Amino acid sequence: MLTRRLVVCLDVKGGRVVKGVQFEALRDVGDPVALATHYEAEGADEVTFLDISATSEERATVFTLLERTAERLFVPLTLGGGVRSVDDVGRALRAGADKVSINSAAVADPALLTRAAERFGAQCVVASIDARRDGTGWRVFTRGGRAPTGLDAVEWAAECARRGAGEILLTSIDRDGARNGYDLELTRAVSARVSVPVVASGGAGSPEHVRSVLVDGGADAALVAGILHDGVTTVRAIKQLLADESLPVRQVAA
Amino acid sequence: MRLTIFDYGAGNLHSLAKALVMPGVELAIETNPSRAVEETDALILPGVGAFGLAAERLARGRDVMLAALQGGLPCLGICLGMQLLFDGSEEGAGTGIGLVPGRVRRLRAERVPQMGWNSLEGVRGEPLLARAGLDTVYYANGFVGEPLDSSVVTAWSTHEEDRFPAAVRIGSVVGVQFHPEKSSAPGVRFMHEFLKELL
């Protein structure tokens, strides 16, 4: 049986981690490679770099970063942010990413998911969806949650899977950063609609929130960021809670 | 000791190459299938891509490679690299190396490809797994090998209801359906155990 996964996300810009990460044990808390390997040692099942670079000069640094990371990280590595074309996907994979997540570019051109999956396999194509509650449903937003698309989030997730995405990264804009728990209803609705794995994102404030989105939300994986970087909890503590609740998880020796 | 990775255009070899770094090991990457088994102490068949394309790249050196493996050249095949040890695959046209009689079939499950960490059953059947303490491994596959003779299977995994070979061994040729280079520290240890057997 596949285990439930814990995915750790690092926001990078110009090849460096942005947002303060508070680990006294690490000499360079801005180094994505050091942080990624730290989280792997703690038991993170995957690492995601979200590239929030604003300029092409900054963006170019991500490929060197992927290479440096792939040489030291021995769990799957995903790159999100700024992926606009099949060539971008290819470049990221060659540099060392195992998966690439596509967000705004997939909304603009849904066939991009198909082209990427046909060329590199569905296992490396992640459709990243930012959703905001709207009445009884959820709508898709792009450009970091600023641009409304009018798309229904659940239907769009189904279309992404149909077009070749091997996984859905589902972020609740309402919950992102609020630390009051994942949007369970949204996660449940999308998980029930698609047969590819769903990674829930946005809202983690405690290990219990992670447990809840995996059990009550039906997610295959949960993405965490801020609460780890701020030292609110640890990968190890979250994994321990999941194991105590009899969820299948991969545990690492202390 | 010289180790050769047969690069059939499978893409990212960074993690794999780094996981194979050990004192006394000299690593070469070779795109020509015949030359990949010449003047080397072990062959690595890496594992990302589609069967058809890999079989095409393999074709001109297939017989040489089969002869080398039958002659005792140690080999580690990973994911698609393990599947290439078989006769052929449902995934695409072309002929595999044919060391392991049998074919590669699609996973019989609702969620395909299988993506994520899964447990290994019967790890004791493969000393390298037991020594590495590797019991939970990372998979990213839609297809699995089905050997005619199941006694070559040294470990199993189950995805949904489908039980499939996680590892096979014929002599010093080892094939694993999972990605040891993505299975964290125990996965890297498994690869080192493979190398240590040869040093």
Side-chain angles (χ1 to χ4, degrees), chain A residues 25-82:
Chain A
L26 292 175
R27 268 179 302 159
D28 182 0
V29 294
D31 178 18
V33 184
L35 275 167
T37 52
H38 165 80
Y39 285 125
E40 178 193 353
E42 271 214 306
D45 297 308
E46 288 183 28
V47 173
T48 289
F49 286 157
L50 181 62
D51 186 13
I52 57 168
S53 294
T55 65
S56 52
E57 289 78 20
E58 280 178 350
R59 176 112 35 226
T61 60
V62 84
F63 298 107
T64 324
L65 171 61
L66 288 173
E67 275 179 32
R68 285 200 298 128
T69 310
E71 289 176 355
R72 286 185 48 200
L73 187 78
F74 297 104
V75 293
L77 175 63
T78 302
L79 174 69

Side-chain angles (χ1 to χ4, degrees), chain A residues 1-3 5 40 45 67 70-71 73-76 93-99 123 191 194-197 220 250, chain B residues 11-12 14-15 18-19 48 110-111 113-119 136 138 140 158-159 180-185 188:
Chain A
M1 186 182 8
L2 288 179
T3 67
R5 288 171 282 150
E40 178 193 353
D45 297 308
E67 275 179 32
E71 289 176 355
L73 187 78
F74 297 104
V75 293
L93 296 177
R94 273 193 305 280
D98 298 290
K99 301 192 251 184
Q123 83 289 336
S191 296
V194 300
S195 65
V196 298
D220 296 271
R250 180 182 68 101
Chain B
N12 167 21
H14 296 283
S15 296
K18 283 294 165 182
V48 181
E110 194 188 319
R111 297 197 169 201
Q114 170 189 214
M115 299 263 295
W117 298 79
N118 204 335
S119 50
T136 308
Y138 185 78
T158 304
H159 179 47
E181 80 282 15
K182 295 289 164 190
S183 297
S184 202
V188 175

Side-chain angles (χ1 to χ4, degrees), chain B residues 34-48:
Chain B
S34 307
R35 267 189 259 141
V37 294
E38 276 170 19
E39 291 166 22
T40 191
D41 300 302
L43 172 69
I44 306 291
L45 297 171
V48 181

Side-chain angles (χ1 to χ4, degrees), chain A residues 6 42 207 232-244:
Chain A
L6 192 64
E42 271 214 306
V232 171
T233 184
T234 63
V235 169
R236 200 176 286 280
I238 297 172
K239 284 291 200 67
Q240 189 58 51
L241 175 81
L242 300 179
D244 290 346

